[in-house]
Amino acid sequence: MNVTYTKPLPVVDSLTKQYWENARSHRLSVQRCRDCGDRHFPPCDVCPKCLSDDQDWEVVSGRGTLLSWVRFHRAYWDGYRGELPYDVCLVKLDEGPLVLSNFSGNAPENARMGMPLRAVFDDVTEQVSLVRFAPE
Amino acid sequence: MNDIKSLKNRIAVVGVGNTRYGSFPDVSDYGLGAQAFKAAIADCGLDKNQIDGLVCCRVPYYARMGEVLGLNPAWTIALPGHGRMSGMSIIEAMLALETGAAKYVALIYTNIGRSRRMSYGGEDSASIWDPWGFTSPGAAHALMFRMHMERYGTTTRQLAEVSVAIRGNAMLNPDAVMKKPITIDDHEAARRIVEPLGLLDYCLVNDGAVCMIMTTADRARDLAKPPVLISGFGARDGFERSSISNFDADFWFSEVREAGTQAFQMAGVGHDDVDAFMCYDNFSPTVLFSLEGLGYCERGESGAFVEGGTLGVHGRLPTNTDGGHLSNSYMQGWALNIEAVRQLRGECGARQVPDCEVVHYVAATPCTRSIIYTKG
Ligand SMILES: [Zn+2]
């Protein structure tokens, strides 16, 4: 745990609070509509499929596949300056939603679209845990 | 008027103007907008007080723009500074002219992003993905291009063909910001920004302004220059899958296909009739996605299609003959639309496409717009 964490931290609001609480206990979740069952992330104020207000957070399996990945050579935030280059990956969760994240550790040398991945959590501050993905 | 296709050839672009492109820290948006407006008014020969419609795009405050120009229009709209808004603005102006809400519309775009050091990422555009370090439109296009590489085997050397051809076109345009020749090897060796994209895949960031004057085809006949007609347009937004800004896991294929098909059908022309192609090139991969979506080549084959200088002024499909956003100017689609008009008028000098009669504009974005211009 790093007390001088300088990278961007989440803006926790009423819509995302539950997601970040689940992440803190190392559970990956997506928003799910109780009326039509649609699963989506990031969360929306009403269900984008049926406009229902009745939505909840569903803990998902943490399994997904790699869709894409990129390597940042530019630091858009000062906190990344010492860490260039760094990787960001796009993961399609088995439950449907797409999420942007990082590889746990270095990018796998055999990275390819469709590669199976699983969620792992990184406690970056006292309050915040970030999901990252490792090869299955 | 129930069928939008009945708008074919009813609305014309009669005046175009632009500032120089570069870094102008001592000129305001309004100063740049006024320069472009004056040039466009002179180009069409109207009295500025005949302007009764105003579209302001990326202009901080439309009323101040009207004040500076001494205008009291009957119809005004303001749109944000997103590249997708240029095609949208032009279509909105068409509708205002057709309904009689306005008789002569001035469309003004201003951009002082360079001299004010806008960064297009990080704190300037906060999102839920910030904690993972993901930001910037360029990174979204890098994600998409990686997917194109994985799905179809497209290479960065093929992607280089886009930047190299468009730079070659810019070298024929005395007003372009970037005129130094580049090669495929230069593209490959350029500094990486967000891999797989490098510096030469990114658009410029520069200051400038563009103005277009539009009216009905009937009124256009009395003005200084031969009118350029809008023969077709098409539109489709794709907001449903927009949780990552400027990204679509299918490269907006269905949106581009739909907007393009509408425009082709309305104009009554096909791919082979198009003499020049003005393709929104915020990042080089957008050009590949646009070519496939519009059907200039098959899906997955854009990499091979652009090889060998296809997009050069003298190539099979002259594209972004002014040098586009990659090498001419970052005017978010507006400079490409005035280039379409100048090509059809035959005003383009060394970069003129011979016998240019049909020009196709597209912006493949979450709000895809496609416009077909023809000679009046
Ligand atoms: Zn629902």
mmCIF file of all heavy atoms in Angstrom, chain A residues 8 42 67-74 76-77 80 86 88 90 100-102 112-113 130-131, chain B residues 121-122 129-136 139 142-143 146-147 150 192-195 243-244 247:
data_model
loop_
_atom_site.group_PDB
_atom_site.id
_atom_site.type_symbol
_atom_site.label_atom_id
_atom_site.label_comp_id
_atom_site.label_asym_id
_atom_site.label_seq_id
_atom_site.Cartn_x
_atom_site.Cartn_y
_atom_site.Cartn_z
ATOM 1 N N PRO A 8 -4.550 9.101 -10.794
ATOM 2 C CA PRO A 8 -5.946 9.511 -10.609
ATOM 3 C C PRO A 8 -6.741 8.502 -9.787
ATOM 4 O O PRO A 8 -6.591 7.295 -9.973
ATOM 5 C CB PRO A 8 -6.492 9.592 -12.041
ATOM 6 C CG PRO A 8 -5.424 9.142 -12.948
ATOM 7 C CD PRO A 8 -4.157 8.952 -12.200
ATOM 8 N N PRO A 42 -20.165 1.477 -17.648
ATOM 9 C CA PRO A 42 -20.436 2.169 -16.396
ATOM 10 C C PRO A 42 -21.935 2.240 -16.088
ATOM 11 O O PRO A 42 -22.757 2.065 -16.977
ATOM 12 C CB PRO A 42 -19.885 3.578 -16.643
ATOM 13 C CG PRO A 42 -19.054 3.481 -17.877
ATOM 14 C CD PRO A 42 -19.566 2.346 -18.657
ATOM 15 N N LEU A 67 -10.009 -8.004 -25.482
ATOM 16 C CA LEU A 67 -10.449 -7.483 -26.777
ATOM 17 C C LEU A 67 -9.358 -6.642 -27.426
ATOM 18 O O LEU A 67 -9.165 -6.680 -28.634
ATOM 19 C CB LEU A 67 -11.684 -6.582 -26.601
ATOM 20 C CG LEU A 67 -13.063 -7.194 -26.622
ATOM 21 C CD1 LEU A 67 -14.107 -6.082 -26.695
ATOM 22 C CD2 LEU A 67 -13.244 -8.139 -27.799
ATOM 23 N N SER A 68 -8.683 -5.828 -26.621
ATOM 24 C CA SER A 68 -7.660 -4.944 -27.177
ATOM 25 C C SER A 68 -6.741 -4.484 -26.060
ATOM 26 O O SER A 68 -7.069 -4.638 -24.881
ATOM 27 C CB SER A 68 -8.324 -3.737 -27.853
ATOM 28 O OG SER A 68 -7.365 -2.961 -28.543
ATOM 29 N N TRP A 69 -5.608 -3.898 -26.432
ATOM 30 C CA TRP A 69 -4.691 -3.361 -25.437
ATOM 31 C C TRP A 69 -3.813 -2.316 -26.111
ATOM 32 O O TRP A 69 -3.572 -2.375 -27.321
ATOM 33 C CB TRP A 69 -3.841 -4.471 -24.790
ATOM 34 C CG TRP A 69 -2.887 -5.142 -25.732
ATOM 35 C CD1 TRP A 69 -1.556 -4.909 -25.846
ATOM 36 C CD2 TRP A 69 -3.209 -6.154 -26.700
ATOM 37 N NE1 TRP A 69 -1.025 -5.708 -26.833
ATOM 38 C CE2 TRP A 69 -2.003 -6.480 -27.368
ATOM 39 C CE3 TRP A 69 -4.378 -6.818 -27.073
ATOM 40 C CZ2 TRP A 69 -1.945 -7.432 -28.393
ATOM 41 C CZ3 TRP A 69 -4.329 -7.760 -28.090
ATOM 42 C CH2 TRP A 69 -3.124 -8.066 -28.737
ATOM 43 N N VAL A 70 -3.412 -1.336 -25.325
ATOM 44 C CA VAL A 70 -2.566 -0.252 -25.831
ATOM 45 C C VAL A 70 -1.491 0.053 -24.803
ATOM 46 O O VAL A 70 -1.622 -0.297 -23.626
ATOM 47 C CB VAL A 70 -3.387 1.032 -26.114
ATOM 48 C CG1 VAL A 70 -4.399 0.802 -27.227
ATOM 49 C CG2 VAL A 70 -4.091 1.544 -24.858
ATOM 50 N N ARG A 71 -0.432 0.705 -25.272
ATOM 51 C CA ARG A 71 0.674 1.067 -24.377
ATOM 52 C C ARG A 71 0.852 2.573 -24.410
ATOM 53 O O ARG A 71 1.156 3.139 -25.457
ATOM 54 C CB ARG A 71 1.954 0.353 -24.823
ATOM 55 C CG ARG A 71 3.177 0.715 -23.982
ATOM 56 C CD ARG A 71 4.281 -0.292 -24.165
ATOM 57 N NE ARG A 71 3.892 -1.566 -23.551
ATOM 58 C CZ ARG A 71 4.667 -2.652 -23.540
ATOM 59 N NH1 ARG A 71 5.856 -2.631 -24.110
ATOM 60 N NH2 ARG A 71 4.254 -3.762 -22.959
ATOM 61 N N PHE A 72 0.636 3.200 -23.270
ATOM 62 C CA PHE A 72 0.800 4.658 -23.154
ATOM 63 C C PHE A 72 2.281 5.016 -23.022
ATOM 64 O O PHE A 72 2.951 4.547 -22.100
ATOM 65 C CB PHE A 72 0.048 5.193 -21.932
ATOM 66 C CG PHE A 72 -1.430 5.379 -22.153
ATOM 67 C CD1 PHE A 72 -2.286 4.291 -22.184
ATOM 68 C CD2 PHE A 72 -1.963 6.654 -22.338
ATOM 69 C CE1 PHE A 72 -3.651 4.456 -22.390
ATOM 70 C CE2 PHE A 72 -3.327 6.835 -22.552
ATOM 71 C CZ PHE A 72 -4.171 5.744 -22.580
ATOM 72 N N HIS A 73 2.748 5.871 -23.935
ATOM 73 C CA HIS A 73 4.101 6.421 -23.833
ATOM 74 C C HIS A 73 4.055 7.876 -23.412
ATOM 75 O O HIS A 73 5.073 8.546 -23.380
ATOM 76 C CB HIS A 73 4.826 6.296 -25.181
ATOM 77 C CG HIS A 73 5.133 4.885 -25.557
ATOM 78 N ND1 HIS A 73 6.350 4.301 -25.345
ATOM 79 C CD2 HIS A 73 4.343 3.929 -26.115
ATOM 80 C CE1 HIS A 73 6.317 3.048 -25.777
ATOM 81 N NE2 HIS A 73 5.116 2.790 -26.246
ATOM 82 N N ARG A 74 2.845 8.379 -23.195
ATOM 83 C CA ARG A 74 2.686 9.768 -22.777
ATOM 84 C C ARG A 74 1.940 9.777 -21.443
ATOM 85 O O ARG A 74 0.975 9.024 -21.270
ATOM 86 C CB ARG A 74 1.883 10.537 -23.830
ATOM 87 C CG ARG A 74 1.651 11.961 -23.412
ATOM 88 C CD ARG A 74 0.950 12.805 -24.446
ATOM 89 N NE ARG A 74 0.496 14.010 -23.760
ATOM 90 C CZ ARG A 74 -0.195 14.986 -24.306
ATOM 91 N NH1 ARG A 74 -0.554 14.916 -25.557
ATOM 92 N NH2 ARG A 74 -0.569 16.019 -23.593
ATOM 93 N N TYR A 76 -0.514 11.622 -19.268
ATOM 94 C CA TYR A 76 -1.514 12.691 -19.245
ATOM 95 C C TYR A 76 -1.734 13.194 -17.819
ATOM 96 O O TYR A 76 -2.388 14.195 -17.611
ATOM 97 C CB TYR A 76 -2.825 12.216 -19.862
ATOM 98 C CG TYR A 76 -2.756 12.013 -21.366
ATOM 99 C CD1 TYR A 76 -2.341 10.803 -21.911
ATOM 100 C CD2 TYR A 76 -3.081 13.053 -22.234
ATOM 101 C CE1 TYR A 76 -2.281 10.622 -23.286
ATOM 102 C CE2 TYR A 76 -3.021 12.878 -23.607
ATOM 103 C CZ TYR A 76 -2.617 11.662 -24.127
ATOM 104 O OH TYR A 76 -2.561 11.489 -25.485
ATOM 105 N N TRP A 77 -1.255 12.422 -16.832
ATOM 106 C CA TRP A 77 -1.269 12.853 -15.431
ATOM 107 C C TRP A 77 0.164 12.743 -14.905
ATOM 108 O O TRP A 77 0.875 11.780 -15.232
ATOM 109 C CB TRP A 77 -2.160 11.934 -14.585
ATOM 110 C CG TRP A 77 -3.617 11.966 -14.891
ATOM 111 C CD1 TRP A 77 -4.539 12.835 -14.392
ATOM 112 C CD2 TRP A 77 -4.338 11.060 -15.742
ATOM 113 N NE1 TRP A 77 -5.795 12.530 -14.883
ATOM 114 C CE2 TRP A 77 -5.709 11.446 -15.713
ATOM 115 C CE3 TRP A 77 -3.991 9.962 -16.529
ATOM 116 C CZ2 TRP A 77 -6.701 10.786 -16.424
ATOM 117 C CZ3 TRP A 77 -4.972 9.301 -17.244
ATOM 118 C CH2 TRP A 77 -6.311 9.723 -17.190
ATOM 119 N N TYR A 80 1.823 9.452 -13.575
ATOM 120 C CA TYR A 80 2.267 8.366 -14.453
ATOM 121 C C TYR A 80 3.665 8.587 -15.012
ATOM 122 O O TYR A 80 4.217 7.718 -15.685
ATOM 123 C CB TYR A 80 1.282 8.183 -15.622
ATOM 124 C CG TYR A 80 0.107 7.311 -15.242
ATOM 125 C CD1 TYR A 80 -1.136 7.860 -14.980
ATOM 126 C CD2 TYR A 80 0.256 5.922 -15.146
ATOM 127 C CE1 TYR A 80 -2.210 7.063 -14.624
ATOM 128 C CE2 TYR A 80 -0.811 5.108 -14.793
ATOM 129 C CZ TYR A 80 -2.037 5.682 -14.535
ATOM 130 O OH TYR A 80 -3.085 4.887 -14.181
ATOM 131 N N TYR A 86 3.132 2.425 -19.861
ATOM 132 C CA TYR A 86 2.239 1.529 -19.119
ATOM 133 C C TYR A 86 1.105 1.066 -20.049
ATOM 134 O O TYR A 86 0.831 1.704 -21.060
ATOM 135 C CB TYR A 86 1.690 2.215 -17.859
ATOM 136 C CG TYR A 86 0.734 3.361 -18.121
ATOM 137 C CD1 TYR A 86 -0.653 3.145 -18.129
ATOM 138 C CD2 TYR A 86 1.190 4.653 -18.344
ATOM 139 C CE1 TYR A 86 -1.531 4.192 -18.357
ATOM 140 C CE2 TYR A 86 0.320 5.702 -18.573
ATOM 141 C CZ TYR A 86 -1.040 5.473 -18.582
ATOM 142 O OH TYR A 86 -1.905 6.497 -18.819
ATOM 143 N N VAL A 88 -2.838 -0.427 -20.949
ATOM 144 C CA VAL A 88 -4.270 -0.479 -20.618
ATOM 145 C C VAL A 88 -4.899 -1.534 -21.513
ATOM 146 O O VAL A 88 -4.575 -1.610 -22.706
ATOM 147 C CB VAL A 88 -4.958 0.888 -20.830
ATOM 148 C CG1 VAL A 88 -6.466 0.783 -20.586
ATOM 149 C CG2 VAL A 88 -4.352 1.951 -19.912
ATOM 150 N N LEU A 90 -8.555 -3.722 -22.749
ATOM 151 C CA LEU A 90 -10.012 -3.704 -22.866
ATOM 152 C C LEU A 90 -10.497 -5.142 -22.761
ATOM 153 O O LEU A 90 -10.068 -6.003 -23.536
ATOM 154 C CB LEU A 90 -10.425 -3.104 -24.214
ATOM 155 C CG LEU A 90 -11.917 -3.095 -24.503
ATOM 156 C CD1 LEU A 90 -12.667 -2.172 -23.543
ATOM 157 C CD2 LEU A 90 -12.178 -2.667 -25.951
ATOM 158 N N LEU A 100 -12.424 -1.212 -19.234
ATOM 159 C CA LEU A 100 -11.011 -0.870 -19.409
ATOM 160 C C LEU A 100 -10.305 -1.134 -18.096
ATOM 161 O O LEU A 100 -10.841 -0.852 -17.023
ATOM 162 C CB LEU A 100 -10.870 0.609 -19.783
ATOM 163 C CG LEU A 100 -11.231 0.948 -21.220
ATOM 164 C CD1 LEU A 100 -11.387 2.454 -21.380
ATOM 165 C CD2 LEU A 100 -10.182 0.420 -22.192
ATOM 166 N N SER A 101 -9.098 -1.663 -18.194
ATOM 167 C CA SER A 101 -8.367 -2.002 -16.980
ATOM 168 C C SER A 101 -6.885 -2.070 -17.322
ATOM 169 O O SER A 101 -6.462 -1.554 -18.359
ATOM 170 C CB SER A 101 -8.892 -3.338 -16.436
ATOM 171 O OG SER A 101 -8.236 -3.664 -15.236
ATOM 172 N N ASN A 102 -6.129 -2.691 -16.451
ATOM 173 C CA ASN A 102 -4.704 -2.912 -16.713
ATOM 174 C C ASN A 102 -4.417 -4.397 -16.575
ATOM 175 O O ASN A 102 -5.165 -5.122 -15.926
ATOM 176 C CB ASN A 102 -3.825 -2.169 -15.690
ATOM 177 C CG ASN A 102 -4.198 -0.708 -15.557
ATOM 178 O OD1 ASN A 102 -4.653 -0.274 -14.504
ATOM 179 N ND2 ASN A 102 -4.005 0.046 -16.609
ATOM 180 N N ARG A 112 -3.240 -11.658 -27.195
ATOM 181 C CA ARG A 112 -3.987 -11.714 -28.454
ATOM 182 C C ARG A 112 -5.452 -11.529 -28.140
ATOM 183 O O ARG A 112 -5.909 -11.787 -27.025
ATOM 184 C CB ARG A 112 -3.754 -13.054 -29.172
ATOM 185 C CG ARG A 112 -4.182 -14.221 -28.328
ATOM 186 C CD ARG A 112 -4.101 -15.561 -29.002
ATOM 187 N NE ARG A 112 -4.315 -16.592 -28.002
ATOM 188 C CZ ARG A 112 -5.514 -16.940 -27.511
ATOM 189 N NH1 ARG A 112 -6.607 -16.366 -27.960
ATOM 190 N NH2 ARG A 112 -5.619 -17.864 -26.582
ATOM 191 N N MET A 113 -6.175 -11.060 -29.132
ATOM 192 C CA MET A 113 -7.610 -10.872 -28.964
ATOM 193 C C MET A 113 -8.245 -12.226 -28.638
ATOM 194 O O MET A 113 -7.921 -13.226 -29.279
ATOM 195 C CB MET A 113 -8.188 -10.328 -30.273
ATOM 196 C CG MET A 113 -9.648 -9.974 -30.201
ATOM 197 S SD MET A 113 -10.250 -9.506 -31.849
ATOM 198 C CE MET A 113 -10.346 -7.763 -31.671
ATOM 199 N N LEU A 130 -8.344 -1.421 -7.134
ATOM 200 C CA LEU A 130 -8.589 -1.419 -8.576
ATOM 201 C C LEU A 130 -8.555 -2.834 -9.112
ATOM 202 O O LEU A 130 -7.650 -3.606 -8.780
ATOM 203 C CB LEU A 130 -7.511 -0.603 -9.294
ATOM 204 C CG LEU A 130 -7.496 0.906 -9.077
ATOM 205 C CD1 LEU A 130 -6.346 1.520 -9.881
ATOM 206 C CD2 LEU A 130 -8.819 1.531 -9.496
ATOM 207 N N VAL A 131 -9.529 -3.142 -9.985
ATOM 208 C CA VAL A 131 -9.499 -4.438 -10.651
ATOM 209 C C VAL A 131 -8.455 -4.389 -11.756
ATOM 210 O O VAL A 131 -8.300 -3.368 -12.442
ATOM 211 C CB VAL A 131 -10.892 -4.812 -11.212
ATOM 212 C CG1 VAL A 131 -11.315 -3.897 -12.354
ATOM 213 C CG2 VAL A 131 -10.906 -6.280 -11.668
ATOM 214 N N GLY B 121 -6.877 15.248 -23.036
ATOM 215 C CA GLY B 121 -6.689 14.032 -22.249
ATOM 216 C C GLY B 121 -6.427 14.429 -20.809
ATOM 217 O O GLY B 121 -6.259 15.605 -20.496
ATOM 218 N N GLY B 122 -6.392 13.430 -19.911
ATOM 219 C CA GLY B 122 -6.120 13.706 -18.508
ATOM 220 C C GLY B 122 -7.210 14.565 -17.892
ATOM 221 O O GLY B 122 -8.390 14.332 -18.097
ATOM 222 N N TRP B 129 -12.799 5.963 -16.348
ATOM 223 C CA TRP B 129 -11.657 5.081 -16.615
ATOM 224 C C TRP B 129 -10.331 5.685 -16.159
ATOM 225 O O TRP B 129 -9.289 5.043 -16.276
ATOM 226 C CB TRP B 129 -11.585 4.756 -18.121
ATOM 227 C CG TRP B 129 -12.883 4.266 -18.683
ATOM 228 C CD1 TRP B 129 -13.667 4.901 -19.605
ATOM 229 C CD2 TRP B 129 -13.565 3.036 -18.375
ATOM 230 N NE1 TRP B 129 -14.793 4.146 -19.874
ATOM 231 C CE2 TRP B 129 -14.753 3.008 -19.138
ATOM 232 C CE3 TRP B 129 -13.277 1.966 -17.514
ATOM 233 C CZ2 TRP B 129 -15.663 1.952 -19.066
ATOM 234 C CZ3 TRP B 129 -14.183 0.916 -17.447
ATOM 235 C CH2 TRP B 129 -15.356 0.918 -18.221
ATOM 236 N N ASP B 130 -10.350 6.905 -15.631
ATOM 237 C CA ASP B 130 -9.099 7.561 -15.218
ATOM 238 C C ASP B 130 -8.245 6.722 -14.256
ATOM 239 O O ASP B 130 -7.019 6.694 -14.397
ATOM 240 C CB ASP B 130 -9.387 8.918 -14.540
ATOM 241 C CG ASP B 130 -9.905 9.963 -15.522
ATOM 242 O OD1 ASP B 130 -9.995 9.666 -16.729
ATOM 243 O OD2 ASP B 130 -10.237 11.077 -15.070
ATOM 244 N N PRO B 131 -8.840 6.038 -13.271
ATOM 245 C CA PRO B 131 -7.994 5.303 -12.322
ATOM 246 C C PRO B 131 -7.127 4.222 -12.974
ATOM 247 O O PRO B 131 -6.132 3.786 -12.375
ATOM 248 C CB PRO B 131 -9.008 4.677 -11.353
ATOM 249 C CG PRO B 131 -10.208 5.573 -11.434
ATOM 250 C CD PRO B 131 -10.264 6.015 -12.873
ATOM 251 N N TRP B 132 -7.481 3.797 -14.180
ATOM 252 C CA TRP B 132 -6.650 2.807 -14.888
ATOM 253 C C TRP B 132 -5.715 3.471 -15.880
ATOM 254 O O TRP B 132 -5.076 2.816 -16.684
ATOM 255 C CB TRP B 132 -7.547 1.773 -15.584
ATOM 256 C CG TRP B 132 -8.297 0.933 -14.585
ATOM 257 C CD1 TRP B 132 -7.836 -0.173 -13.942
ATOM 258 C CD2 TRP B 132 -9.635 1.147 -14.096
ATOM 259 N NE1 TRP B 132 -8.806 -0.661 -13.082
ATOM 260 C CE2 TRP B 132 -9.914 0.134 -13.157
ATOM 261 C CE3 TRP B 132 -10.628 2.097 -14.358
ATOM 262 C CZ2 TRP B 132 -11.141 0.035 -12.483
ATOM 263 C CZ3 TRP B 132 -11.841 2.009 -13.694
ATOM 264 C CH2 TRP B 132 -12.088 0.976 -12.761
ATOM 265 N N GLY B 133 -5.717 4.806 -15.871
ATOM 266 C CA GLY B 133 -4.790 5.542 -16.727
ATOM 267 C C GLY B 133 -5.241 5.682 -18.166
ATOM 268 O O GLY B 133 -4.454 6.077 -19.023
ATOM 269 N N PHE B 134 -6.502 5.362 -18.410
ATOM 270 C CA PHE B 134 -6.980 5.460 -19.791
ATOM 271 C C PHE B 134 -7.583 6.831 -20.037
ATOM 272 O O PHE B 134 -8.502 7.249 -19.331
ATOM 273 C CB PHE B 134 -8.019 4.381 -20.119
ATOM 274 C CG PHE B 134 -8.378 4.393 -21.590
ATOM 275 C CD1 PHE B 134 -7.624 3.669 -22.498
ATOM 276 C CD2 PHE B 134 -9.421 5.175 -22.060
ATOM 277 C CE1 PHE B 134 -7.907 3.713 -23.851
ATOM 278 C CE2 PHE B 134 -9.713 5.230 -23.415
ATOM 279 C CZ PHE B 134 -8.953 4.500 -24.311
ATOM 280 N N THR B 135 -7.099 7.504 -21.055
ATOM 281 C CA THR B 135 -7.638 8.815 -21.415
ATOM 282 C C THR B 135 -7.234 9.148 -22.840
ATOM 283 O O THR B 135 -6.321 8.515 -23.390
ATOM 284 C CB THR B 135 -7.118 9.893 -20.434
ATOM 285 O OG1 THR B 135 -7.833 11.119 -20.652
ATOM 286 C CG2 THR B 135 -5.631 10.148 -20.617
ATOM 287 N N SER B 136 -7.905 10.107 -23.424
ATOM 288 C CA SER B 136 -7.589 10.737 -24.721
ATOM 289 C C SER B 136 -8.241 10.020 -25.897
ATOM 290 O O SER B 136 -8.304 8.793 -25.941
ATOM 291 C CB SER B 136 -6.077 10.863 -24.963
ATOM 292 O OG SER B 136 -5.510 9.663 -25.448
ATOM 293 N N ALA B 139 -5.992 7.450 -27.649
ATOM 294 C CA ALA B 139 -5.924 6.115 -27.048
ATOM 295 C C ALA B 139 -7.127 5.272 -27.485
ATOM 296 O O ALA B 139 -7.007 4.061 -27.702
ATOM 297 C CB ALA B 139 -5.877 6.227 -25.528
ATOM 298 N N ALA B 142 -6.298 4.056 -30.802
ATOM 299 C CA ALA B 142 -5.268 3.015 -30.696
ATOM 300 C C ALA B 142 -5.904 1.676 -30.333
ATOM 301 O O ALA B 142 -5.550 0.634 -30.885
ATOM 302 C CB ALA B 142 -4.216 3.421 -29.655
ATOM 303 N N LEU B 143 -6.869 1.717 -29.408
ATOM 304 C CA LEU B 143 -7.593 0.481 -29.035
ATOM 305 C C LEU B 143 -8.293 -0.120 -30.248
ATOM 306 O O LEU B 143 -8.274 -1.338 -30.460
ATOM 307 C CB LEU B 143 -8.680 0.799 -28.006
ATOM 308 C CG LEU B 143 -8.403 0.799 -26.522
ATOM 309 C CD1 LEU B 143 -9.700 1.147 -25.790
ATOM 310 C CD2 LEU B 143 -7.847 -0.522 -26.021
ATOM 311 N N ARG B 146 -5.758 -1.569 -32.795
ATOM 312 C CA ARG B 146 -5.265 -2.877 -32.341
ATOM 313 C C ARG B 146 -6.281 -3.973 -32.695
ATOM 314 O O ARG B 146 -5.913 -5.067 -33.139
ATOM 315 C CB ARG B 146 -5.027 -2.871 -30.829
ATOM 316 C CG ARG B 146 -4.666 -4.225 -30.251
ATOM 317 C CD ARG B 146 -3.215 -4.573 -30.410
ATOM 318 N NE ARG B 146 -2.419 -3.727 -29.532
ATOM 319 C CZ ARG B 146 -1.090 -3.610 -29.614
ATOM 320 N NH1 ARG B 146 -0.423 -4.291 -30.517
ATOM 321 N NH2 ARG B 146 -0.435 -2.816 -28.793
ATOM 322 N N MET B 147 -7.550 -3.688 -32.526
ATOM 323 C CA MET B 147 -8.580 -4.684 -32.840
ATOM 324 C C MET B 147 -8.604 -4.967 -34.345
ATOM 325 O O MET B 147 -8.805 -6.107 -34.767
ATOM 326 C CB MET B 147 -9.952 -4.190 -32.361
ATOM 327 C CG MET B 147 -10.017 -4.096 -30.841
ATOM 328 S SD MET B 147 -11.541 -3.348 -30.243
ATOM 329 C CE MET B 147 -12.673 -4.726 -30.473
ATOM 330 N N GLU B 150 -5.741 -7.240 -35.054
ATOM 331 C CA GLU B 150 -5.996 -8.603 -34.584
ATOM 332 C C GLU B 150 -7.020 -9.319 -35.465
ATOM 333 O O GLU B 150 -6.867 -10.493 -35.771
ATOM 334 C CB GLU B 150 -6.494 -8.572 -33.135
ATOM 335 C CG GLU B 150 -5.438 -8.155 -32.129
ATOM 336 C CD GLU B 150 -4.413 -9.257 -31.872
ATOM 337 O OE1 GLU B 150 -4.819 -10.371 -31.504
ATOM 338 O OE2 GLU B 150 -3.204 -8.993 -32.058
ATOM 339 N N ARG B 192 6.324 6.915 -30.376
ATOM 340 C CA ARG B 192 5.031 6.302 -30.028
ATOM 341 C C ARG B 192 4.303 7.215 -29.040
ATOM 342 O O ARG B 192 4.937 7.764 -28.128
ATOM 343 C CB ARG B 192 5.229 4.928 -29.382
ATOM 344 C CG ARG B 192 5.910 3.862 -30.239
ATOM 345 C CD ARG B 192 5.124 3.471 -31.468
ATOM 346 N NE ARG B 192 5.518 4.279 -32.630
ATOM 347 C CZ ARG B 192 4.899 4.243 -33.803
ATOM 348 N NH1 ARG B 192 3.866 3.466 -34.001
ATOM 349 N NH2 ARG B 192 5.313 5.004 -34.799
ATOM 350 N N ILE B 193 3.006 7.349 -29.203
ATOM 351 C CA ILE B 193 2.215 8.130 -28.236
ATOM 352 C C ILE B 193 1.395 7.136 -27.412
ATOM 353 O O ILE B 193 1.650 6.951 -26.228
ATOM 354 C CB ILE B 193 1.276 9.129 -28.939
ATOM 355 C CG1 ILE B 193 2.055 9.938 -29.979
ATOM 356 C CG2 ILE B 193 0.582 10.015 -27.880
ATOM 357 C CD1 ILE B 193 2.734 11.147 -29.500
ATOM 358 N N VAL B 194 0.418 6.512 -28.041
ATOM 359 C CA VAL B 194 -0.260 5.380 -27.414
ATOM 360 C C VAL B 194 -0.192 4.251 -28.432
ATOM 361 O O VAL B 194 -0.891 4.253 -29.436
ATOM 362 C CB VAL B 194 -1.721 5.716 -27.034
ATOM 363 C CG1 VAL B 194 -2.374 4.495 -26.382
ATOM 364 C CG2 VAL B 194 -1.777 6.902 -26.064
ATOM 365 N N GLU B 195 0.688 3.318 -28.201
ATOM 366 C CA GLU B 195 0.910 2.204 -29.106
ATOM 367 C C GLU B 195 -0.372 1.385 -29.274
ATOM 368 O O GLU B 195 -1.043 1.160 -28.268
ATOM 369 C CB GLU B 195 2.004 1.297 -28.495
ATOM 370 C CG GLU B 195 3.192 1.087 -29.374
ATOM 371 C CD GLU B 195 4.225 0.229 -28.645
ATOM 372 O OE1 GLU B 195 4.706 0.680 -27.582
ATOM 373 O OE2 GLU B 195 4.504 -0.869 -29.131
ATOM 374 N N SER B 243 -19.810 4.091 -23.800
ATOM 375 C CA SER B 243 -19.255 4.197 -22.446
ATOM 376 C C SER B 243 -17.770 4.532 -22.456
ATOM 377 O O SER B 243 -17.239 5.030 -21.484
ATOM 378 C CB SER B 243 -19.489 2.904 -21.679
ATOM 379 O OG SER B 243 -18.798 1.843 -22.294
ATOM 380 N N ILE B 244 -17.094 4.271 -23.574
ATOM 381 C CA ILE B 244 -15.707 4.716 -23.723
ATOM 382 C C ILE B 244 -15.738 5.776 -24.814
ATOM 383 O O ILE B 244 -16.107 5.486 -25.952
ATOM 384 C CB ILE B 244 -14.784 3.551 -24.128
ATOM 385 C CG1 ILE B 244 -14.891 2.416 -23.099
ATOM 386 C CG2 ILE B 244 -13.347 4.038 -24.276
ATOM 387 C CD1 ILE B 244 -14.275 1.109 -23.561
ATOM 388 N N PHE B 247 -14.783 5.692 -28.879
ATOM 389 C CA PHE B 247 -14.448 4.295 -29.157
ATOM 390 C C PHE B 247 -15.699 3.542 -29.555
ATOM 391 O O PHE B 247 -16.774 3.766 -29.000
ATOM 392 C CB PHE B 247 -13.857 3.641 -27.893
ATOM 393 C CG PHE B 247 -13.692 2.150 -28.011
ATOM 394 C CD1 PHE B 247 -12.561 1.618 -28.603
ATOM 395 C CD2 PHE B 247 -14.679 1.289 -27.556
ATOM 396 C CE1 PHE B 247 -12.414 0.246 -28.738
ATOM 397 C CE2 PHE B 247 -14.543 -0.085 -27.678
ATOM 398 C CZ PHE B 247 -13.404 -0.608 -28.274
#
